[in-house]
Amino acid sequence: MSTETAQPSLVLHHLNDSRSQRILWLLEELQVPYQLKKYQRLPSQLAPPELKAIHPLGRSPVIKDGDVTLAESGAIVEYIITKYGKSKAQPPQSGWVDNLYYTHYAEGTLAPLMTWKYILTLVPDQSPFFIRPFARAVCNNIIAYVIDNRLKGNFAMIEQHMQKVSGGWFAGGDEPTSADYMMLFGMEAATSRLDNVPDIMKKYVERVHAMPSYQRALEKGGEYRFASKL
């Protein structure tokens, strides 16, 4: 008789400093057995080519579960909750629509704004030397008059929503749901990089980072630039 312990079928392919961190938090919070395969970013900050052997786009997070290979944070979050959640991470009926909205809003609206702001801060220094002043002026104007204005409106909406929900989670209720797992990355980026973030968003991130499940996720995932200094 073999004494070997069967390995969990679910495998998370985890890239440091990436959206994969929220998948680790989800797995730890739900106490789902899983294997962890870790990858480090290249000096260019791109993902290593080895990830293309897992998924054609070569990005993270990616999970494998038997014959299933699945990318995209939102799809992974919904898959794990549906298959392994055991009735956890479910919104109360009163928060069903809020959960649906913020689960998709996170990557559909907030993340693109944060990403474009970050890219536009990098473009001037990557431009040829003689056009850097022009590139910096153009990028700063786009950030100031387009991106920052939209972020201000988005942060105001998030603040108003969080002030009215019970329990402190996006769908209300007593536990995080898919909306929280999806919203966390953008809120971490905002509170780490920006100054004009509402206090309620900062306190939300601090609350999540203090959770035992999140601390376990950090220990297993390794380097993460948005980790709070608790």
Side-chain angles (χ1 to χ4, degrees):
M1 180 182 293
S2 173
T3 59
E4 293 183 4
T5 303
Q7 293 291 319
S9 64
L10 181 62
V11 181
L12 171 61
H13 294 269
H14 172 76
L15 178 67
N16 71 302
D17 269 344
S18 76
R19 287 164 167 80
S20 183
Q21 191 64 40
R22 60 185 170 195
I23 307 303
L24 273 174
W25 173 38
L26 170 64
L27 291 168
E28 290 295 327
E29 180 65 20
L30 297 183
Q31 298 182 323
V32 178
Y34 65 98
Q35 298 182 61
L36 182 62
K37 305 290 185 182
K38 295 167 69 172
Y39 303 80
Q40 289 293 121
R41 290 186 181 275
L42 302 175
S44 64
Q45 293 303 300
L46 296 177
E50 290 84 359
L51 272 169
K52 285 192 175 180
I54 310 303
H55 188 275
L57 297 183
R59 303 182 68 182
S60 177
V62 178
I63 61 169
K64 289 183 71 70
D65 190 17
D67 295 332
V68 173
T69 300
L70 189 62
E72 293 297 335
S73 294
I76 293 170
V77 166
E78 292 191 29
Y79 177 90
I80 291 172
I81 290 175
T82 299
K83 184 171 181 180
Y84 294 102
K86 297 179 180 178
S87 299
K88 295 180 180 178
Q90 298 299 319
Q93 188 61 36
S94 60
W96 184 83
V97 172
D98 285 336
N99 187 64
L100 178 67
Y101 175 72
Y102 282 102
T103 294
H104 294 277
Y105 161 84
E107 290 294 327
T109 300
L110 181 60
L113 287 171
M114 293 296 304
T115 299
W116 272 112
K117 182 176 176 74
Y118 181 62
I119 290 172
L120 289 168
T121 62
L122 299 179
V123 167
D125 290 335
Q126 302 299 319
S127 303
F129 179 78
F130 63 92
I131 68 166
R132 283 181 190 174
F134 175 73
R136 184 166 286 107
V138 170
C139 289
N140 286 346
N141 279 336
I142 295 174
I143 290 172
Y145 295 107
V146 180
I147 305 297
D148 283 350
N149 277 337
R150 293 184 181 179
L151 281 173
K152 182 179 179 180
N154 278 259
F155 292 165
M157 180 190 74
I158 293 170
E159 180 180 34
Q160 291 169 7
H161 176 73
M162 297 185 75
Q163 287 172 339
K164 73 179 183 180
V165 293
S166 62
W169 303 113
F170 273 90
D174 300 323
E175 62 179 343
T177 62
S178 60
D180 299 283
Y181 295 110
M182 290 302 297
M183 284 293 294
L184 180 63
F185 183 80
M187 300 205 9
E188 288 175 325
T191 56
S192 295
R193 292 174 174 166
L194 306 179
D195 297 324
N196 60 335
V197 178
D199 285 342
I200 198 167
M201 290 176 61
K202 297 176 183 177
K203 291 178 181 177
Y204 175 91
V205 171
E206 291 171 357
R207 176 191 185 188
V208 172
H209 284 191
M211 295 175 68
S213 57
Y214 193 89
Q215 288 297 305
R216 293 195 301 271
L218 283 178
E219 290 174 8
K220 294 181 179 180
E223 176 187 355
Y224 188 55
R225 72 184 67 184
F226 298 143
S228 298
K229 303 297 188 293
L230 298 175

